[in-house]
Amino acid sequence: MDEAATPCVRMVAMNAIISASELASDLTGQNPPVVLDIRWQLSMAKAAGEPPFDGRAEYAAGHIPGAVFVDLDRELAAAPGARGRHPLPELADFGAAMRRAGVSAGTPVVVYDGGQGWAAARAWWMLRWTGHPDVRVLDGGLPSWEGALETSEPTPVEGDFEPAPDAAGLLDADGAAALARSGVLLDARAGERYRGEVEPIDRVGGHIPGAVSAPTNENVGTDGRFLPAEELHARFKALGVSDDTPVGVYCGSGVSGAHEVLALAVAGIPAALYVGSWSEWSSDPSRPVAVGADPQ
């Protein structure tokens, strides 16, 4: 990447993610951020006797001081159905949940999860898509936090945030199909799901014709933190993304795809999210399905 582009990329990176040391400093500053704990795991088949993941219980056992728990399945998504496994909630419901958590338009927000980054990115994307000007993800999640944890649950002052969505940041099924032809549509799932070799959740395996495989786990290092902005920019360029290319992302149900949109933001590249993703696309037998490594 040329040197002239580097400052812009770094500026976007600073506005999308935050380190644990920066968060610790901000929490003692004059305008501390609202901190949201979005611990969550994808519901998969569990071994016999293994309890399901309980994000609220994890939160109660210890969280960053002042953090408020937000339930992804109940507050960042509507009930599963024809629009996918994690469709968008009603805007009024989302706004009310954010205000209960203390979110205001003039207050910065930091979101984190257990380290994978997917759930935090979903919260980041939803707040950014609905107009909040200052939202960042704790890079590396809770494992990166070196300070003390607390178990008491705060009672935040109700915020004033009112969602005002940006239509340009959201794709539906038809929009995703069109973008796969006219721009770059990235599939953030694991490569074997993209190729249709396995499909542990949805009706059929494969990908949207024309979509490019771009597993989101390749955007982070072994510590779960994002690769440097310059490396991410180079990765997406190799996948066909240029400065004037419209870019969209989908995944299984609009959660890990939000993480890829965040990675693109770190790289200085705006992108839209197809929230319904493969869970919506594959539920309709009339929609075409491609398999194998070739996008088509």
Side-chain angles (χ1 to χ4, degrees):
M1 185 174 60
D2 63 80
E3 189 63 29
T6 301
C8 178
V9 168
R10 286 178 179 159
M11 184 180 298
V12 175
M14 286 194 325
N15 290 336
I17 56 177
I18 184 172
S19 70
S21 60
E22 289 169 329
L23 174 58
S25 177
D26 286 358
L27 286 172
T28 63
Q30 293 185 342
N31 188 27
V34 171
V35 181
L36 305 180
D37 183 311
I38 326 284
R39 273 179 274 183
W40 170 91
Q41 285 184 7
L42 179 65
S43 296
M44 301 283 283
K46 300 287 185 180
E50 183 180 354
F53 179 82
D54 186 341
R56 182 168 284 281
E58 296 282 330
Y59 167 83
H63 51 266
I64 292 175
V68 179
F69 180 74
V70 173
D71 190 313
L72 186 149
D73 288 320
R74 294 176 175 83
E75 296 175 307
L76 303 182
R83 294 185 297 134
R85 285 193 307 281
H86 290 102
L88 290 174
E90 294 294 330
L91 282 177
D93 295 339
F94 173 64
M98 292 299 96
R99 290 190 293 274
R100 285 195 302 272
V103 175
S104 291
T107 303
V109 178
V110 172
V111 294
Y112 72 90
D113 58 24
Q116 187 179 42
W118 294 6
R122 171 74 175 221
W124 169 85
W125 179 82
M126 289 197 65
L127 281 164
R128 293 292 293 146
W129 172 66
T130 55
H132 198 289
D134 188 355
V135 190
R136 289 172 290 173
V137 170
L138 177 58
D139 196 18
L142 188 61
S144 71
W145 179 256
E146 296 180 352
L149 300 179
E150 69 177 16
T151 56
S152 59
E153 186 167 350
T155 304
V157 176
E158 181 155 336
D160 63 13
F161 180 66
E162 293 288 347
D166 176 9
L170 180 67
L171 294 171
D172 60 12
D174 290 340
L179 188 59
R181 298 188 297 268
S182 64
V184 176
L185 181 65
L186 300 176
D187 185 318
R189 298 172 300 159
E192 58 269 24
R193 291 185 68 192
Y194 169 89
R195 296 187 295 271
E197 296 166 359
V198 298
E199 183 43 65
I201 308 172
D202 294 311
R203 185 185 66 85
V204 63
H207 58 269
I208 297 173
V212 177
S213 180
T216 198
N217 61 4
E218 295 180 16
N219 295 319
V220 298
T222 55
D223 59 359
R225 301 181 190 183
F226 282 104
L227 300 176
E230 292 82 359
E231 291 184 29
L232 289 171
H233 195 277
R235 182 196 182 210
F236 292 121
K237 182 178 180 180
L239 292 170
V241 176
S242 61
D243 291 341
D244 58 352
T245 308
V247 181
V249 180
Y250 75 96
C251 57
S253 64
V255 179
S256 67
H259 190 262
E260 185 122 297
V261 173
L262 175 58
L264 285 154
V266 172
I269 302 166
L273 178 65
Y274 172 27
V275 173
S277 287
W278 190 247
S279 60
E280 179 187 38
W281 182 277
S282 64
S283 69
D284 183 347
S286 70
R287 294 193 183 106
V289 171
V291 296
D294 190 309
Q296 302 298 333

